Amino acid sequence: MVMGNVNVNVLLESFGLYTIAGLMIVVGLAIFEVTTPYSNWREVQKGNIAVALATGGKIVGLANIFRVVESHHDRLVDILVGGGFGFFLLLVTYWLFEFLTPSLKVNEEIGRGNIAVGLLAFLLSIGVSLIVGAALVR
């Protein structure tokens, strides 16, 4: 069945990819939740902009990785493996950010509401996702 320039198969495939990426982002955020000393969602609810920025960067970073992987791969296993590996690299980057800045306790500062550190974490997540996304489709 064709509706304009889009057929039903394209819509169903798009919905499937949307669902896969959404579930992987939820799983990724759950993993990030247990790696931070504070509750992301409680802090956001309290109005902690730094946590909102850091969490938003993770969401956009994960979404970008899955966007790139889904646009270059057709097989579900390739999407899951590529996206999962990209998420792993994003997670490692966040840990390295904490480790390589010993004079700046990243998680503590974000938890305290330091917007500058939250913004830096946001930009780091997006920047790394751009690099990882490009690397995953070579």
Side-chain angles (χ1 to χ4, degrees), residues 92-137:
V92 166
T93 299
Y94 203 74
W95 290 335
L96 284 173
F97 181 34
E98 180 79 43
F99 178 74
L100 294 175
T101 55
S103 63
L104 175 69
K105 304 293 184 203
V106 174
N107 280 323
E108 284 180 24
E109 291 297 322
I110 292 172
R112 276 190 277 218
N114 185 328
I115 295 172
V117 178
L119 180 60
L120 189 57
F122 174 86
L123 294 170
L124 181 66
S125 292
I126 292 172
V128 167
S129 82
L130 294 171
I131 295 165
V132 168
L136 287 172
V137 295

Side-chain angles (χ1 to χ4, degrees), residues 18-70:
Y18 161 83
T19 303
I20 290 166
L23 289 173
M24 293 299 285
I25 290 169
V26 168
V27 168
L29 288 174
I31 292 170
F32 275 121
E33 181 75 23
V34 299
T35 64
T36 56
Y38 48 82
S39 169
N40 292 295
W41 303 115
R42 250 186 253 124
E43 289 297 318
V44 168
Q45 190 175 31
K46 291 190 312 191
N48 187 328
I49 294 170
V51 171
L53 284 167
T55 303
K58 293 169 189 170
I59 292 169
V60 174
L62 288 169
N64 181 60
I65 288 169
F66 278 97
R67 178 194 64 82
V68 172
V69 171
E70 287 178 355

Side-chain angles (χ1 to χ4, degrees), residues 52-89:
L53 284 167
T55 303
K58 293 169 189 170
I59 292 169
V60 174
L62 288 169
N64 181 60
I65 288 169
F66 278 97
R67 178 194 64 82
V68 172
V69 171
E70 287 178 355
S71 69
H72 287 82
H73 297 286
D74 292 329
R75 293 180 6 177
L76 177 61
V77 68
D78 293 336
I79 292 168
L80 292 175
V81 169
F85 185 66
F87 163 72
F88 173 74
L89 293 176

